[in-house]
Amino acid sequence: MAASLRALLRPAAAAARPRALLPPSAQALLGARRCSAGSQFQYLAVQKTGARQSVGLIQLNRPQALNALCEGLMEELRRALEAMENDPQVGAIVITGSQKAFAAGADIKEMQSKTFQECYSSGFLSGWDKLSSVRKPVIAAVNGYALGGGCELAMMCDIIYAGEKAQFGQPEILLGTIPGAGGTQRLTRAVGKSLAMEMVLTGERISAAEAKEAGLVSKVFPVDKLLDAAVACAEKIAGNSKLVAAMAKESVNAAFETTLAEGTRTEKRLFYATFATADRREGMAAFVEKRKANFTDS
């Protein structure tokens, strides 16, 4: 285990309270290591999980506020992501909340008294972009409310799995403001202009089934099966070359951030780059020899 992540994690016995937030089917699966509440993290439960301990799991743990994204929580999230990014054992990351709420939004009490000058000079919410810059694949496992900043946080992830009772929305218009952490941009790219406009202008929510139909969510699961499914997907990803997975993620993201011509040039550049890696040689050799590839991430 990398030293930076080891320092953030404590034995599971020290964290009974975060465990209670997990569905029973996930508790047996997620019994590896986690931080103790009130030590390294106040608002998160962090651990490595999976059969090979190759999945980083981050659980938002501010239940009294439905996981509202206060500045302290977001700072802890940045630290946890940096630790997992630097841990060579971790190949993919899962972010989840409780069964009641993934995250019900930003902390309105914190921002209520802010002025334009404060927001502009401090780059308010700019630190939230850390999640979108992580090179390892990130899966959001969304149960319950994913509203406002919670919806924006989920959309910064690479894959969104939803529990069947999940709700997504950008209700900032009801507070006299607009999304400020990418909501108007990522939502529009995910579901199209018409639905994004409707959600942003009315503040209305959509269900998990509607989110899947619109393309915001890739799969929907029973509430108590969601986390297991997300971890299983992350394990599958982590079993591939971590180096090539980062290249694949960069290439797919280019489709959202550049023109078609620029995106295809990025794809070709990264495709050619895989031919300089030991993992590409191993993968093709294993296919020809009809055996399982043994990737070394080089």
Side-chain angles (χ1 to χ4, degrees):
M1 181 187 296
S4 59
L5 187 57
R6 186 188 302 115
L8 297 178
L9 303 179
R10 296 292 178 85
R17 184 181 178 188
R19 175 181 288 272
L21 297 176
L22 298 176
S25 59
Q27 290 177 19
L29 177 66
L30 306 178
R33 297 186 180 182
R34 64 174 78 242
C35 72
S36 60
S39 57
Q40 293 296 331
F41 295 118
Q42 180 180 357
Y43 303 115
L44 303 179
V46 180
Q47 68 177 84
K48 294 200 295 188
T49 190
R52 299 181 301 276
Q53 297 289 284
S54 59
V55 177
L57 176 63
I58 301 174
Q59 183 189 7
L60 309 182
N61 185 33
R62 197 185 175 206
Q64 73 281 5
L66 295 178
N67 292 332
L69 304 173
C70 62
E71 292 181 5
L73 187 154
M74 295 307 296
E75 173 55 33
E76 290 184 1
L77 182 58
R78 285 191 290 274
R79 287 197 288 118
L81 288 169
E82 287 174 2
M84 290 180 176
E85 185 85 304
N86 294 325
D87 187 337
Q89 189 178 12
V90 172
I93 301 167
V94 174
I95 298 179
T96 192
S98 67
Q99 289 191 7
K100 189 172 184 179
F102 176 74
D107 193 317
I108 304 304
K109 292 180 180 179
E110 278 190 349
M111 67 173 67
Q112 183 178 6
S113 60
K114 288 186 180 293
T115 65
F116 164 75
Q117 290 84 351
E118 287 179 289
C119 292
Y120 189 81
S121 62
S122 66
F124 183 48
L125 300 186
S126 60
W128 287 35
D129 291 337
K130 171 62 182 176
L131 178 54
S132 62
S133 66
V134 171
R135 299 186 73 184
K136 293 180 179 180
V138 183
I139 300 172
V142 179
N143 266 322
Y145 303 118
L147 306 177
C151 186
E152 290 172 311
L153 189 72
M155 290 191 293
M156 291 180 198
C157 298
D158 303 305
I159 298 169
I160 303 177
Y161 278 7
E164 56 193 0
K165 296 183 180 179
Q167 296 183 42
F168 299 84
Q170 298 291 161
E172 289 86 351
I173 193 77
L174 305 178
L175 303 177
T177 186
I178 69 171
T184 62
Q185 304 304 301
R186 292 188 177 92
L187 185 63
T188 304
R189 286 167 168 77
V191 306
K193 178 182 176 182
S194 182
L195 181 54
M197 278 288 192
E198 181 181 10
M199 292 174 67
V200 170
L201 294 178
T202 66
E204 292 184 355
R205 309 168 188 175
I206 60 174
S207 67
E210 290 170 326
K212 184 179 185 301
E213 183 179 1
L216 180 62
V217 165
S218 59
K219 292 181 180 178
V220 177
F221 298 90
V223 170
D224 61 347
K225 303 296 184 184
L226 171 67
L227 192 54
D228 292 357
V231 170
C233 179
E235 280 197 280
K236 184 178 292 187
I237 293 170
N240 296 319
S241 165
K242 297 178 181 64
L243 177 64
V244 177
M247 292 179 178
K249 173 174 174 172
E250 180 181 348
S251 187
V252 172
N253 280 336
F256 284 85
E257 299 165 0
T258 64
T259 65
L260 177 60
E262 291 169 338
T264 53
R265 281 195 293 271
T266 297
E267 181 186 73
K268 281 290 191 299
R269 172 177 58 83
L270 291 167
F271 169 65
Y272 296 155
T274 66
F275 282 75
T277 68
D279 281 347
R280 194 280 310 169
R281 292 191 293 274
E282 165 63 13
M284 291 191 175
F287 178 82
V288 171
E289 297 165 13
K290 295 181 172 55
R291 60 176 174 81
K292 181 177 176 60
N294 180 26
F295 295 119
T296 60
D297 307 313
S298 60

